[in-house]
Amino acid sequence: MGEERHKCCAVVDLRQYTLHPGQRDTMIDIFDESFVEGQEQYGMHVSAQFRDLDDPDRFVWLRGFPDLPARADALNGFYYGPIWREHSAAANATMADSDNALLLQPIDLGPGYPAPDVPRPPIGAADIPSSLVAGAVYHRGSPDDGFPEYFADQVAPILAATGAVLAAVFETLPAENNFPALPLRDETVLAWFATFADDAAYAEHRRRLDASPAWQTKVLPELTCRSVAPPQNLRLRPTARSQFH
């Protein structure tokens, strides 16, 4: 199963859309009804769709590809195909900005990150999971800064000890954008995602993290020193049809 997750998602797009006020549910309805299977028929794996709990106008999602050539083929197939042509006007009308996108590769995908064959609720499903996915995007100075090793050795153990179930760790894939119609941010990052059963479990994790001397006096200062910009902390609610929850 782990091998299948890596195979389907050797290349990953992390996309964060800023939507016009009040338009997020409209975008999610269009996406979950038309763009999940609509993209997957071209060979992508749409693993995650989220509401950002700290920004009512942000929609966050992830899609994976087996490799870079497959990414180019899949994106060309979808964005020049009938489904996008039919629904693009309605989708674009919800978006204020769609250029916040990163090209990533997995460092580690755990059991909590869904493989392509994980069932998802059918089109029309409306029950929003009570689970929460949290994480962060760290902005790095260079690809050879040792950040992944530092994260694995010092950061991940404290996250796990305070209740975070790490599902995925990604870093920037240093490759040219092979579908330039969709811009990508030109920066080096490490991004992680963890799952929590509900809001209470996440709140307890945060309480324990805030009370951890190692986190407060050692890890946080080191993360600041190793980063070229403040991290983006993510607190996400899966949509009704998100595999990753």
Side-chain angles (χ1 to χ4, degrees), residues 59 83 125 131 195 197 200 208:
F59 172 61
I83 295 170
S131 57
T195 56
R208 294 171 65 186

Side-chain angles (χ1 to χ4, degrees), residues 6-238:
H6 278 272
K7 183 178 178 182
C8 80
C9 299
V11 177
V12 170
D13 285 353
L14 168 59
R15 306 189 62 81
Q16 302 188 55
Y17 293 165
T18 300
L19 307 178
H20 296 297
Q23 291 299 300
R24 184 164 67 183
D25 285 349
T26 300
M27 177 60 182
I28 289 172
D29 287 345
I30 296 169
F31 197 102
D32 277 9
E33 290 177 10
S34 301
F35 292 164
V36 175
E37 287 81 2
Q39 293 182 86
E40 291 191 334
Q41 67 178 282
Y42 292 98
M44 310 181 212
H45 175 213
V46 180
S47 59
Q49 306 97 263
F50 300 118
R51 291 173 170 87
D52 187 322
L53 294 177
D54 296 309
D55 185 342
D57 300 320
R58 181 178 289 139
F59 172 61
V60 180
W61 63 290
L62 291 156
R63 63 181 168 197
F65 312 86
D67 51 41
L68 281 168
R71 178 180 186 269
D73 290 344
L75 295 180
N76 274 287
F78 176 72
Y79 286 104
Y80 294 106
I83 295 170
W84 179 250
R85 188 159 52 244
E86 178 181 355
H87 298 284
S88 59
N92 285 331
T94 69
M95 300 182 205
D97 175 59
S98 61
D99 291 348
N100 184 353
L102 293 164
L103 187 65
L104 306 175
Q105 59 187 344
I107 297 173
D108 182 54
L109 297 180
Y113 193 82
D117 59 355
V118 170
R120 64 163 55 89
I123 293 173
D127 292 337
I128 298 172
S130 60
S131 57
L132 185 147
V133 174
V137 178
Y138 298 125
H139 306 279
R140 299 160 53 189
S142 69
D144 58 355
D145 57 4
F147 204 111
E149 294 79 11
Y150 173 74
F151 181 86
D153 291 342
Q154 301 296 326
V155 182
I158 296 181
L159 293 175
T162 54
V165 181
L166 279 170
V169 183
F170 300 101
E171 66 174 336
T172 296
L173 175 62
E176 184 177 352
N177 183 7
N178 60 359
F179 191 74
L182 294 180
L184 294 167
R185 283 161 49 191
D186 182 18
E187 58 181 293
T188 302
V189 306
L190 182 142
W192 62 269
F193 297 89
T195 56
F196 299 87
D198 50 31
D199 291 1
Y202 175 74
E204 174 62 12
H205 158 69
R206 288 301 320 179
R207 185 194 67 77
R208 294 171 65 186
L209 201 61
D210 291 343
S212 165
W215 182 262
Q216 295 297 330
T217 65
K218 182 179 178 183
V219 173
L220 274 183
E222 182 70 14
L223 284 172
T224 299
C225 290
R226 287 176 174 266
S227 301
V228 298
Q232 180 192 14
N233 294 304
L234 295 168
R235 196 169 60 96
L236 308 169
R237 180 82 69 214

